[in-house]
Amino acid sequence: MGSVYKPPDSVVVNRIQRAFPSDELRERARATNLIQRERKLDVVALFYTLSLGF
């Protein structure tokens, strides 16, 4: 059987970051009142944890 191609982790991370830019995630969090000020909670980390951490 042939092996399945697996791209390097850096390629996967790069594609995810291009699909969901950090600045845009922060803007949307402010626009939807998810956050009013940034402190200990990082919205980008929260997004990646909830959406990709399953």
Short mmCIF file of all heavy atoms in Angstrom, two decimals:
data_model
loop_
_atom_site.label_atom_id
_atom_site.label_comp_id
_atom_site.label_asym_id
_atom_site.label_seq_id
_atom_site.Cartn_x
_atom_site.Cartn_y
_atom_site.Cartn_z
N MET A 1 0.84 -1.19 0.00
CA MET A 1 0.00 0.00 0.00
C MET A 1 0.88 1.24 0.00
O MET A 1 1.92 1.27 0.63
CB MET A 1 -0.87 0.03 1.25
CG MET A 1 -1.96 -0.98 1.27
SD MET A 1 -3.09 -0.53 2.58
CE MET A 1 -4.48 -1.39 2.00
N GLY A 2 0.39 2.29 -0.62
CA GLY A 2 1.11 3.55 -0.65
C GLY A 2 0.92 4.33 0.64
O GLY A 2 -0.06 4.14 1.36
N SER A 3 1.86 5.15 0.91
CA SER A 3 1.73 5.95 2.14
C SER A 3 0.93 7.22 1.86
O SER A 3 0.91 7.73 0.75
CB SER A 3 3.12 6.31 2.67
OG SER A 3 3.81 7.10 1.73
N VAL A 4 0.27 7.71 2.86
CA VAL A 4 -0.54 8.92 2.76
C VAL A 4 0.36 10.12 3.04
O VAL A 4 1.13 10.12 4.00
CB VAL A 4 -1.70 8.89 3.78
CG1 VAL A 4 -2.49 10.18 3.74
CG2 VAL A 4 -2.60 7.70 3.51
N TYR A 5 0.27 11.12 2.18
CA TYR A 5 1.09 12.32 2.36
C TYR A 5 0.61 13.12 3.56
O TYR A 5 -0.59 13.38 3.72
CB TYR A 5 1.02 13.21 1.11
CG TYR A 5 1.66 14.56 1.31
CD1 TYR A 5 3.03 14.68 1.40
CD2 TYR A 5 0.89 15.70 1.44
CE1 TYR A 5 3.63 15.91 1.60
CE2 TYR A 5 1.47 16.94 1.64
CZ TYR A 5 2.84 17.04 1.71
OH TYR A 5 3.42 18.26 1.92
N LYS A 6 1.53 13.47 4.43
CA LYS A 6 1.24 14.33 5.58
C LYS A 6 2.12 15.57 5.47
O LYS A 6 3.34 15.45 5.51
CB LYS A 6 1.56 13.61 6.89
CG LYS A 6 0.62 12.51 7.23
CD LYS A 6 1.01 11.93 8.57
CE LYS A 6 -0.12 11.21 9.22
NZ LYS A 6 0.24 10.74 10.56
N PRO A 7 1.51 16.74 5.32
CA PRO A 7 2.32 17.96 5.24
C PRO A 7 2.99 18.23 6.58
O PRO A 7 2.48 17.82 7.63
CB PRO A 7 1.31 19.05 4.89
CG PRO A 7 0.01 18.52 5.34
CD PRO A 7 0.09 17.03 5.24
N PRO A 8 4.12 18.92 6.56
CA PRO A 8 4.77 19.28 7.82
C PRO A 8 3.85 20.15 8.69
O PRO A 8 2.97 20.84 8.18
CB PRO A 8 6.00 20.09 7.39
CG PRO A 8 6.13 19.89 5.93
CD PRO A 8 4.82 19.41 5.40
N ASP A 9 4.06 20.08 9.99
CA ASP A 9 3.23 20.87 10.92
C ASP A 9 3.24 22.35 10.57
O ASP A 9 2.23 23.03 10.71
CB ASP A 9 3.70 20.66 12.36
CG ASP A 9 3.40 19.26 12.88
OD1 ASP A 9 2.57 18.57 12.25
OD2 ASP A 9 3.98 18.87 13.89
N SER A 10 4.39 22.86 10.15
CA SER A 10 4.49 24.29 9.85
C SER A 10 3.54 24.68 8.71
O SER A 10 2.98 25.77 8.72
CB SER A 10 5.92 24.66 9.49
OG SER A 10 6.35 23.94 8.34
N VAL A 11 3.33 23.80 7.76
CA VAL A 11 2.41 24.09 6.66
C VAL A 11 0.98 24.14 7.17
O VAL A 11 0.21 25.04 6.82
CB VAL A 11 2.55 23.01 5.55
CG1 VAL A 11 1.47 23.19 4.49
CG2 VAL A 11 3.93 23.08 4.91
N VAL A 12 0.62 23.22 8.03
CA VAL A 12 -0.73 23.19 8.58
C VAL A 12 -0.99 24.44 9.43
O VAL A 12 -2.02 25.09 9.29
CB VAL A 12 -0.95 21.91 9.42
CG1 VAL A 12 -2.30 21.93 10.10
CG2 VAL A 12 -0.79 20.67 8.54
N VAL A 13 -0.05 24.77 10.29
CA VAL A 13 -0.19 25.95 11.14
C VAL A 13 -0.30 27.21 10.29
O VAL A 13 -1.15 28.08 10.54
CB VAL A 13 0.99 26.06 12.14
CG1 VAL A 13 0.99 27.40 12.84
CG2 VAL A 13 0.93 24.92 13.13
N ASN A 14 0.51 27.31 9.26
CA ASN A 14 0.48 28.47 8.38
C ASN A 14 -0.88 28.61 7.71
O ASN A 14 -1.44 29.71 7.62
CB ASN A 14 1.59 28.37 7.34
CG ASN A 14 1.74 29.63 6.52
OD1 ASN A 14 1.12 30.64 6.79
ND2 ASN A 14 2.57 29.57 5.51
N ARG A 15 -1.45 27.51 7.25
CA ARG A 15 -2.76 27.56 6.59
C ARG A 15 -3.86 27.97 7.56
O ARG A 15 -4.76 28.74 7.21
CB ARG A 15 -3.08 26.22 5.97
CG ARG A 15 -2.24 25.92 4.75
CD ARG A 15 -2.58 24.61 4.14
NE ARG A 15 -1.70 24.35 3.01
CZ ARG A 15 -1.65 23.21 2.37
NH1 ARG A 15 -2.44 22.20 2.74
NH2 ARG A 15 -0.83 23.04 1.35
N ILE A 16 -3.80 27.49 8.77
CA ILE A 16 -4.80 27.86 9.78
C ILE A 16 -4.69 29.34 10.12
O ILE A 16 -5.69 30.04 10.22
CB ILE A 16 -4.65 26.99 11.04
CG1 ILE A 16 -5.04 25.55 10.73
CG2 ILE A 16 -5.49 27.54 12.20
CD1 ILE A 16 -4.73 24.57 11.83
N GLN A 17 -3.46 29.83 10.26
CA GLN A 17 -3.26 31.24 10.59
C GLN A 17 -3.71 32.14 9.45
O GLN A 17 -4.21 33.24 9.69
CB GLN A 17 -1.80 31.51 10.94
CG GLN A 17 -1.41 30.94 12.27
CD GLN A 17 0.06 31.09 12.57
OE1 GLN A 17 0.89 31.24 11.67
NE2 GLN A 17 0.41 31.02 13.84
N ARG A 18 -3.56 31.71 8.21
CA ARG A 18 -4.04 32.50 7.08
C ARG A 18 -5.56 32.47 7.01
O ARG A 18 -6.19 33.46 6.63
CB ARG A 18 -3.45 32.00 5.76
CG ARG A 18 -2.04 32.49 5.53
CD ARG A 18 -1.55 32.16 4.15
NE ARG A 18 -1.40 30.71 4.03
CZ ARG A 18 -1.57 30.02 2.91
NH1 ARG A 18 -1.90 30.61 1.81
NH2 ARG A 18 -1.41 28.72 2.91
N ALA A 19 -6.17 31.36 7.38
CA ALA A 19 -7.63 31.26 7.35
C ALA A 19 -8.28 32.08 8.46
O ALA A 19 -9.37 32.63 8.28
CB ALA A 19 -8.05 29.80 7.46
N PHE A 20 -7.61 32.13 9.61
CA PHE A 20 -8.14 32.85 10.77
C PHE A 20 -7.07 33.78 11.33
O PHE A 20 -6.42 33.47 12.33
CB PHE A 20 -8.58 31.86 11.86
CG PHE A 20 -9.58 30.85 11.40
CD1 PHE A 20 -9.20 29.55 11.13
CD2 PHE A 20 -10.91 31.21 11.22
CE1 PHE A 20 -10.12 28.61 10.71
CE2 PHE A 20 -11.84 30.27 10.79
CZ PHE A 20 -11.44 28.97 10.53
N PRO A 21 -6.86 34.95 10.71
CA PRO A 21 -5.84 35.88 11.18
C PRO A 21 -6.13 36.36 12.61
O PRO A 21 -7.28 36.64 12.96
CB PRO A 21 -5.90 37.04 10.20
CG PRO A 21 -6.71 36.57 9.05
CD PRO A 21 -7.56 35.44 9.54
N SER A 22 -5.10 36.45 13.41
CA SER A 22 -5.24 36.85 14.82
C SER A 22 -5.89 38.22 14.96
O SER A 22 -6.75 38.42 15.81
CB SER A 22 -3.88 36.85 15.51
OG SER A 22 -3.33 35.57 15.50
N ASP A 23 -5.48 39.17 14.13
CA ASP A 23 -6.05 40.52 14.22
C ASP A 23 -7.55 40.51 13.94
O ASP A 23 -8.32 41.19 14.62
CB ASP A 23 -5.36 41.46 13.23
CG ASP A 23 -3.90 41.70 13.59
OD1 ASP A 23 -3.55 41.49 14.77
OD2 ASP A 23 -3.14 42.09 12.70
N GLU A 24 -7.96 39.72 12.97
CA GLU A 24 -9.38 39.64 12.64
C GLU A 24 -10.17 38.98 13.77
O GLU A 24 -11.28 39.41 14.10
CB GLU A 24 -9.58 38.86 11.35
CG GLU A 24 -11.01 38.88 10.87
CD GLU A 24 -11.18 38.20 9.52
OE1 GLU A 24 -10.26 38.30 8.69
OE2 GLU A 24 -12.23 37.59 9.33
N LEU A 25 -9.61 37.95 14.38
CA LEU A 25 -10.28 37.31 15.51
C LEU A 25 -10.46 38.29 16.66
O LEU A 25 -11.53 38.33 17.29
CB LEU A 25 -9.49 36.09 15.97
CG LEU A 25 -9.49 34.89 15.03
CD1 LEU A 25 -8.53 33.82 15.55
CD2 LEU A 25 -10.88 34.33 14.87
N ARG A 26 -9.44 39.08 16.94
CA ARG A 26 -9.53 40.07 18.03
C ARG A 26 -10.57 41.14 17.71
O ARG A 26 -11.33 41.57 18.58
CB ARG A 26 -8.17 40.68 18.29
CG ARG A 26 -7.24 39.74 19.00
CD ARG A 26 -5.94 40.42 19.43
NE ARG A 26 -5.11 39.48 20.13
CZ ARG A 26 -4.14 38.75 19.57
NH1 ARG A 26 -3.88 38.88 18.28
NH2 ARG A 26 -3.43 37.89 20.27
N GLU A 27 -10.61 41.60 16.45
CA GLU A 27 -11.59 42.60 16.04
C GLU A 27 -13.02 42.07 16.20
O GLU A 27 -13.90 42.77 16.70
CB GLU A 27 -11.37 43.00 14.58
CG GLU A 27 -10.21 43.93 14.36
CD GLU A 27 -10.04 44.27 12.89
OE1 GLU A 27 -11.06 44.28 12.16
OE2 GLU A 27 -8.90 44.52 12.48
N ARG A 28 -13.23 40.84 15.78
CA ARG A 28 -14.57 40.26 15.90
C ARG A 28 -14.95 40.04 17.36
O ARG A 28 -16.12 40.18 17.71
CB ARG A 28 -14.64 38.94 15.13
CG ARG A 28 -14.62 39.15 13.65
CD ARG A 28 -14.69 37.86 12.91
NE ARG A 28 -14.53 38.09 11.49
CZ ARG A 28 -15.35 37.62 10.58
NH1 ARG A 28 -16.37 36.89 10.92
NH2 ARG A 28 -15.12 37.86 9.32
N ALA A 29 -14.00 39.70 18.19
CA ALA A 29 -14.29 39.52 19.61
C ALA A 29 -14.73 40.84 20.23
O ALA A 29 -15.65 40.87 21.04
CB ALA A 29 -13.06 38.97 20.32
N ARG A 30 -14.08 41.92 19.85
CA ARG A 30 -14.48 43.24 20.37
C ARG A 30 -15.83 43.66 19.80
O ARG A 30 -16.68 44.19 20.51
CB ARG A 30 -13.43 44.28 20.01
CG ARG A 30 -12.23 44.23 20.90
CD ARG A 30 -11.34 45.47 20.72
NE ARG A 30 -10.06 45.23 21.36
CZ ARG A 30 -8.97 44.82 20.72
NH1 ARG A 30 -8.99 44.64 19.43
NH2 ARG A 30 -7.86 44.62 21.38
N ALA A 31 -16.04 43.42 18.51
CA ALA A 31 -17.28 43.84 17.85
C ALA A 31 -18.49 43.09 18.40
O ALA A 31 -19.59 43.64 18.44
CB ALA A 31 -17.18 43.61 16.34
N THR A 32 -18.31 41.87 18.84
CA THR A 32 -19.42 41.08 19.38
C THR A 32 -19.49 41.14 20.90
O THR A 32 -20.25 40.40 21.51
CB THR A 32 -19.30 39.61 18.95
OG1 THR A 32 -18.05 39.09 19.41
CG2 THR A 32 -19.39 39.47 17.44
N ASN A 33 -18.68 41.99 21.50
CA ASN A 33 -18.62 42.17 22.95
C ASN A 33 -18.21 40.91 23.70
O ASN A 33 -18.58 40.72 24.85
CB ASN A 33 -19.95 42.69 23.50
CG ASN A 33 -20.18 44.13 23.09
OD1 ASN A 33 -19.24 44.91 22.96
ND2 ASN A 33 -21.42 44.47 22.86
N LEU A 34 -17.48 40.04 23.03
CA LEU A 34 -16.92 38.89 23.72
C LEU A 34 -15.89 39.37 24.74
O LEU A 34 -15.84 38.89 25.86
CB LEU A 34 -16.26 37.91 22.74
CG LEU A 34 -15.55 36.72 23.38
CD1 LEU A 34 -16.57 35.80 24.05
CD2 LEU A 34 -14.76 35.95 22.34
N ILE A 35 -15.11 40.36 24.33
CA ILE A 35 -14.16 40.98 25.26
C ILE A 35 -14.33 42.49 25.18
O ILE A 35 -14.68 43.04 24.14
CB ILE A 35 -12.69 40.62 24.94
CG1 ILE A 35 -12.31 41.06 23.52
CG2 ILE A 35 -12.43 39.16 25.14
CD1 ILE A 35 -10.84 41.00 23.26
N GLN A 36 -14.09 43.12 26.30
CA GLN A 36 -14.12 44.58 26.31
C GLN A 36 -12.72 45.13 26.53
O GLN A 36 -12.42 46.25 26.17
CB GLN A 36 -15.06 45.06 27.40
CG GLN A 36 -16.50 44.68 27.10
CD GLN A 36 -17.44 45.08 28.20
OE1 GLN A 36 -17.03 45.52 29.27
NE2 GLN A 36 -18.72 44.92 27.96
N ARG A 37 -11.87 44.32 27.11
CA ARG A 37 -10.47 44.68 27.30
C ARG A 37 -9.67 43.39 27.37
O ARG A 37 -10.18 42.35 27.75
CB ARG A 37 -10.28 45.50 28.57
CG ARG A 37 -10.78 44.78 29.78
CD ARG A 37 -10.73 45.63 30.99
NE ARG A 37 -11.46 44.92 32.04
CZ ARG A 37 -11.67 45.39 33.23
NH1 ARG A 37 -11.20 46.55 33.55
NH2 ARG A 37 -12.33 44.69 34.11
N GLU A 38 -8.43 43.47 26.97
CA GLU A 38 -7.60 42.27 26.98
C GLU A 38 -6.81 42.20 28.27
O GLU A 38 -6.14 43.14 28.65
CB GLU A 38 -6.65 42.28 25.79
CG GLU A 38 -7.35 41.97 24.50
CD GLU A 38 -6.39 41.70 23.38
OE1 GLU A 38 -5.38 41.01 23.61
OE2 GLU A 38 -6.66 42.19 22.28
N ARG A 39 -6.92 41.10 28.93
CA ARG A 39 -6.16 40.86 30.15
C ARG A 39 -5.54 39.49 30.07
O ARG A 39 -4.71 39.24 29.23
CB ARG A 39 -7.06 41.00 31.36
CG ARG A 39 -7.40 42.44 31.67
CD ARG A 39 -7.84 42.57 33.07
NE ARG A 39 -7.90 44.00 33.40
CZ ARG A 39 -8.16 44.41 34.58
NH1 ARG A 39 -8.40 43.58 35.55
NH2 ARG A 39 -8.19 45.71 34.82
N LYS A 40 -5.97 38.59 30.92
CA LYS A 40 -5.38 37.26 30.96
C LYS A 40 -5.94 36.32 29.89
O LYS A 40 -5.31 35.34 29.54
CB LYS A 40 -5.56 36.64 32.34
CG LYS A 40 -4.80 37.37 33.41
CD LYS A 40 -4.99 36.72 34.75
CE LYS A 40 -4.22 37.50 35.80
NZ LYS A 40 -4.35 36.88 37.11
N LEU A 41 -7.12 36.61 29.40
CA LEU A 41 -7.75 35.77 28.40
C LEU A 41 -7.30 36.18 27.01
O LEU A 41 -7.52 37.30 26.58
CB LEU A 41 -9.27 35.88 28.49
CG LEU A 41 -10.08 35.10 27.47
CD1 LEU A 41 -9.89 33.61 27.71
CD2 LEU A 41 -11.53 35.47 27.56
N ASP A 42 -6.67 35.25 26.30
CA ASP A 42 -6.26 35.51 24.92
C ASP A 42 -7.33 34.94 24.00
O ASP A 42 -7.56 33.73 23.96
CB ASP A 42 -4.91 34.86 24.64
CG ASP A 42 -4.41 35.15 23.24
OD1 ASP A 42 -4.93 36.09 22.60
OD2 ASP A 42 -3.50 34.44 22.78
N VAL A 43 -8.01 35.82 23.28
CA VAL A 43 -9.13 35.42 22.43
C VAL A 43 -8.67 34.46 21.34
O VAL A 43 -9.38 33.51 21.02
CB VAL A 43 -9.78 36.67 21.80
CG1 VAL A 43 -10.82 36.29 20.77
CG2 VAL A 43 -10.37 37.53 22.88
N VAL A 44 -7.50 34.68 20.79
CA VAL A 44 -7.00 33.81 19.73
C VAL A 44 -6.77 32.40 20.27
O VAL A 44 -7.19 31.42 19.66
CB VAL A 44 -5.71 34.39 19.11
CG1 VAL A 44 -5.14 33.46 18.07
CG2 VAL A 44 -5.99 35.76 18.51
N ALA A 45 -6.15 32.28 21.43
CA ALA A 45 -5.92 30.97 22.03
C ALA A 45 -7.25 30.30 22.37
O ALA A 45 -7.40 29.09 22.17
CB ALA A 45 -5.06 31.11 23.28
N LEU A 46 -8.21 31.07 22.86
CA LEU A 46 -9.53 30.53 23.17
C LEU A 46 -10.20 29.98 21.91
O LEU A 46 -10.75 28.89 21.91
CB LEU A 46 -10.41 31.61 23.81
CG LEU A 46 -11.85 31.21 24.12
CD1 LEU A 46 -11.89 30.12 25.18
CD2 LEU A 46 -12.64 32.43 24.57
N PHE A 47 -10.13 30.74 20.83
CA PHE A 47 -10.72 30.30 19.57
C PHE A 47 -10.11 28.99 19.09
O PHE A 47 -10.82 28.05 18.75
CB PHE A 47 -10.56 31.37 18.49
CG PHE A 47 -10.95 30.90 17.12
CD1 PHE A 47 -12.28 30.82 16.77
CD2 PHE A 47 -9.98 30.52 16.19
CE1 PHE A 47 -12.66 30.36 15.51
CE2 PHE A 47 -10.35 30.07 14.94
CZ PHE A 47 -11.68 30.00 14.60
N TYR A 48 -8.77 28.93 19.07
CA TYR A 48 -8.11 27.72 18.59
C TYR A 48 -8.39 26.53 19.51
O TYR A 48 -8.58 25.42 19.04
CB TYR A 48 -6.60 27.93 18.46
CG TYR A 48 -6.22 28.80 17.28
CD1 TYR A 48 -5.26 29.80 17.41
CD2 TYR A 48 -6.83 28.65 16.05
CE1 TYR A 48 -4.92 30.60 16.32
CE2 TYR A 48 -6.50 29.44 14.97
CZ TYR A 48 -5.54 30.41 15.11
OH TYR A 48 -5.19 31.20 14.05
N THR A 49 -8.45 26.77 20.79
CA THR A 49 -8.73 25.69 21.73
C THR A 49 -10.14 25.14 21.54
O THR A 49 -10.34 23.93 21.49
CB THR A 49 -8.56 26.18 23.18
OG1 THR A 49 -7.23 26.63 23.35
CG2 THR A 49 -8.86 25.08 24.17
N LEU A 50 -11.11 26.03 21.39
CA LEU A 50 -12.50 25.58 21.26
C LEU A 50 -12.78 24.98 19.87
O LEU A 50 -13.53 24.02 19.76
CB LEU A 50 -13.46 26.74 21.52
CG LEU A 50 -13.48 27.25 22.95
CD1 LEU A 50 -14.41 28.46 23.06
CD2 LEU A 50 -13.93 26.16 23.90
N SER A 51 -12.20 25.55 18.84
CA SER A 51 -12.54 25.09 17.50
C SER A 51 -11.68 23.94 17.01
O SER A 51 -12.17 23.08 16.27
CB SER A 51 -12.46 26.24 16.51
OG SER A 51 -11.14 26.74 16.46
N LEU A 52 -10.44 23.88 17.43
CA LEU A 52 -9.54 22.85 16.91
C LEU A 52 -9.11 21.85 17.97
O LEU A 52 -8.47 20.85 17.66
CB LEU A 52 -8.29 23.49 16.30
CG LEU A 52 -8.57 24.51 15.20
CD1 LEU A 52 -7.29 25.20 14.79
CD2 LEU A 52 -9.24 23.84 14.01
N GLY A 53 -9.46 22.09 19.22
CA GLY A 53 -8.98 21.26 20.29
C GLY A 53 -9.79 20.01 20.57
O GLY A 53 -9.52 19.29 21.51
N PHE A 54 -10.78 19.75 19.75
CA PHE A 54 -11.60 18.58 19.98
C PHE A 54 -10.79 17.34 19.75
O PHE A 54 -11.01 16.29 20.15
CB PHE A 54 -12.84 18.58 19.10
CG PHE A 54 -12.56 18.64 17.65
CD1 PHE A 54 -12.38 17.47 16.94
CD2 PHE A 54 -12.44 19.85 16.99
CE1 PHE A 54 -12.11 17.52 15.58
CE2 PHE A 54 -12.17 19.90 15.65
CZ PHE A 54 -12.00 18.75 14.93
#
